Amino acid sequence: MLTNAPRGTKDILPAQIAGWRYVENKIRTLCRNYGYEEIRTPVFEHTELFQRGIGEGTDVVDKEMYTFTDRGGRSITLRPENTASVVRAYLQNKLYADGGLVKLFYTGSMFRYDRPQAGRLREFHQFGVEALGEQNPALDAEIILLAWDLLKSLGLENLRLKINTVGCAKCRPVYRQKLQHYFSDNFDDLCEDCKHRLNKNPMRILDCKVDGDKEFIEDAPKIETCLCDECREHFARVQKLLKAAGVEFELDARLVRGLDYYTKTAFEIQYAELGAQSALAGGGRYDGLVEEIGGAPTPGIGFAVGIERILIALEKQNLLPAAENKFDAFIVTAGSDAEITGFDLLTKLRRENISATMDFAKRSVKAQMKQAAKSGARFALILGEEELASASVTVKNLETSAQEKIPLEKVAQIFA
Ligand code: HAM
């Protein structure tokens, strides 16, 4: 028990770090190019923030939150997502004060209590962006493009971009009512979850995994029959901009997303080989969220992508980078005096920004040479009696096996 991490969590081991860094470096480059600045918010927040922001009646709030009472009697929740937290930080720190658009990105752990399976964890990592303060559909297109460009720049193929509009506070209630009416006629055929959804959140019935293939869901009324002019024009403009940018997308009237705050544009980028957890990235517009959390009416839009899911997709497509060579130099010493000289050399090299290591287990020279080869170092620097006497070091190139003796004080030059 003590040696098992909690179910649904994963250690990220040194051998996996090259993949994480690869993805994180792409994220940072892309965010710089797109003009998004990094924000880091706390891993836990007041529970109410998520209840209000994400919405009661959603699976995330009703079933999946890690909520506890802290020692001061407050209800605290580990963040299940970061949009509500970013909006809270935007308001608390008055990031709106300069006026205009605020563009932010984040990476970090999120927590959801769900049944773990491939691509679904209880602690997982998201990269996300949020743009607050502008309702131009060009921003919707920018956000979708950012998500798309990230995944494409990693080399991923077979991605599907699906988009939809979920309407706004004006037209969505009309659609909800229409759906409630329609699904009431099929009440007995709905799964237990959807029976509950019928009152609280009838749009979620459309993307139910259990009921998904049933014919009456396929035939359910589409939102386009209820959209107000503003939502219709907004969505048409987003599509036009995406087409102009050469991005291929599919319209999916059943894409409703699992969080309550969405308005107008909703989108997902899916990778079918992930199976049941096929969504790599998801997001959309949330023009009512800032107000819901206590700010002045402010439009917003964003998305998040699961980093573990990206890594699974990269692995499936053989796109993970090889682990980096670990060291420039491995110092091999024979005897106690050589160890002192070697340790001094080790420190000097490291201070010159050369990565170096040595044996700490007092192994034989032969065993140290084996270790040097295994470490992936470029050079073995060998210090024996002869070298100590002449203040020199034998440098062995571990790739070519070429060997030469050079003065100790010149050793840093071979790494130049
Ligand atoms: P979401 O669709 O709940 O949206 O999550 C976004 C992505 O996080 C998913 O597509 C998936 O890759 C990853 N993800 C979610 N749950 C898990 C899990 N249990 N295990 C592994 N990966 C997971 C949001 O979180 C919104 N805050 C996105 C957003 C930002 N909308 C607007 N702004």
Side-chain angles (χ1 to χ4, degrees):
M1 185 64 187
L2 273 183
T3 54
N4 286 344
R7 209 162 115 74
T9 66
K10 267 196 180 153
D11 299 309
I12 302 165
L13 300 172
Q16 295 153 352
I17 288 295
W20 282 79
R21 290 229 177 114
Y22 173 59
V23 175
E24 286 162 1
N25 289 340
K26 286 274 189 224
I27 286 170
R28 281 169 202 285
T29 308
L30 208 70
C31 285
R32 200 191 54 230
N33 294 349
Y34 273 77
Y36 285 74
E37 289 182 301
E38 184 167 4
I39 184 165
R40 299 185 190 191
T41 60
V43 165
F44 59 82
E45 298 273 357
H46 294 295
T47 302
E48 205 188 341
L49 175 71
F50 302 117
Q51 287 169 334
R52 290 283 292 277
I54 301 170
E56 305 207 55
T58 57
D59 284 354
V60 171
V61 169
D62 289 0
K63 300 185 197 162
E64 296 172 6
M65 294 207 303
Y66 278 91
T67 297
F68 59 96
T69 307
D70 74 6
R71 287 171 193 270
R74 300 167 203 91
S75 182
I76 294 293
T77 294
L78 301 185
R79 61 183 181 193
E81 60 105 55
N82 213 26
T83 309
S85 309
V86 168
V87 169
R88 197 259 320 127
Y90 169 82
L91 292 172
Q92 182 173 352
N93 300 289
K94 300 190 172 50
L95 299 185
Y96 50 80
D98 294 339
L101 187 57
V102 175
K103 305 209 293 188
L104 303 165
F105 83 90
Y106 50 84
T107 57
S109 293
M110 309 292 152
F111 306 86
R112 294 185 194 176
Y113 190 87
D114 202 347
R115 209 164 36 80
Q117 51 175 254
R120 189 161 74 199
L121 293 158
R122 290 181 174 168
E123 184 196 17
F124 58 99
H125 295 77
Q126 279 187 346
F127 154 60
V129 307
E130 313 294 345
L132 292 148
E134 186 51 73
Q135 50 190 334
N136 189 336
L139 200 56
D140 305 40
E142 169 174 296
I143 292 275
I144 294 173
L145 267 165
L146 201 167
W148 185 253
D149 279 1
L150 170 68
L151 299 174
K152 292 306 277 183
S153 71
L154 290 166
L156 290 173
E157 299 291 342
N158 304 328
L159 302 174
R160 291 170 74 180
L161 167 61
K162 297 188 171 183
I163 64 170
N164 189 24
T165 176
V166 294
C168 67
K170 267 186 284 170
C171 56
R172 189 167 30 198
V174 182
Y175 182 53
R176 280 173 62 119
Q177 222 175 19
K178 204 169 181 176
L179 280 183
Q180 269 165 344
H181 237 260
Y182 175 83
F183 285 127
S184 301
D185 293 342
N186 301 285
F187 189 79
D188 292 340
D189 294 327
L190 292 173
C191 73
E192 284 313 305
D193 277 345
C194 282
K195 282 180 179 153
H196 290 294
R197 286 176 185 137
L198 184 60
N199 272 327
K200 284 192 193 162
N201 207 342
M203 284 170 72
R204 283 308 315 267
I205 300 177
L206 294 173
D207 77 340
C208 174
K209 298 262 172 344
V210 181
D211 288 339
D213 294 332
K214 295 180 182 160
E215 206 168 302
F216 67 88
I217 295 208
E218 197 58 51
D219 296 339
K222 305 274 186 288
I223 196 166
E224 60 191 33
T225 56
C226 301
L227 286 180
C228 63
D229 288 346
E230 192 188 314
C231 284
R232 189 185 310 282
E233 280 158 26
H234 188 97
F235 194 43
R237 186 80 184 161
V238 173
Q239 293 177 57
K240 215 174 203 173
L241 288 155
L242 288 177
K243 276 187 191 144
V247 179
E248 271 183 40
F249 58 86
E250 296 165 40
L251 297 179
D252 183 351
R254 283 171 57 185
L255 180 74
V256 292
R257 310 270 306 129
L259 313 162
D260 261 4
Y261 48 62
Y262 291 110
T263 54
K264 296 186 175 154
T265 314
F267 74 97
E268 274 184 15
I269 300 177
Q270 299 180 350
Y271 176 60
E273 277 186 59
L274 287 176
Q277 309 305 319
S278 65
L280 277 179
R285 186 164 272 289
Y286 47 83
D287 290 347
L289 181 59
V290 177
E291 209 177 346
E292 184 69 43
I293 291 174
T298 309
I301 177 160
F303 79 89
V305 50
I307 298 183
E308 285 86 353
R309 289 194 192 169
I310 294 184
L311 290 165
I312 295 174
L314 287 174
E315 194 174 8
K316 279 188 191 291
Q317 296 189 18
N318 265 329
L319 291 167
L320 280 179
E324 290 151 26
N325 235 2
K326 283 190 196 132
F327 294 107
D328 295 319
F330 192 107
I331 297 170
V332 174
T333 59
S336 171
D337 289 346
E339 186 186 45
I340 293 179
T341 310
F343 192 74
D344 182 45
L345 176 61
L346 182 68
T347 309
K348 284 187 176 130
L349 290 177
R350 287 171 173 172
R351 288 184 178 155
E352 298 262 353
N353 216 12
I354 294 159
S355 64
T357 190
M358 68 189 289
D359 170 57
F360 289 100
K362 298 192 182 297
R363 291 184 175 89
S364 70
V365 168
K366 200 171 155 201
Q368 289 180 56
M369 287 305 291
K370 266 197 191 158
Q371 233 192 320
K374 216 171 118 188
S375 75
R378 280 166 62 209
F379 295 101
L381 307 179
I382 305 156
L383 291 163
E385 263 174 46
E386 227 184 285
E387 284 85 358
L388 286 199
S390 56
S392 58
V393 59
T394 299
V395 177
K396 180 170 182 183
N397 183 323
L398 293 171
E399 279 154 30
T400 63
S401 293
Q403 200 164 302
E404 61 173 332
K405 209 183 220 180
I406 61 169
L408 204 47
E409 81 268 8
K410 291 206 169 143
V411 89
Q413 291 171 13
I414 62 168
F415 301 96

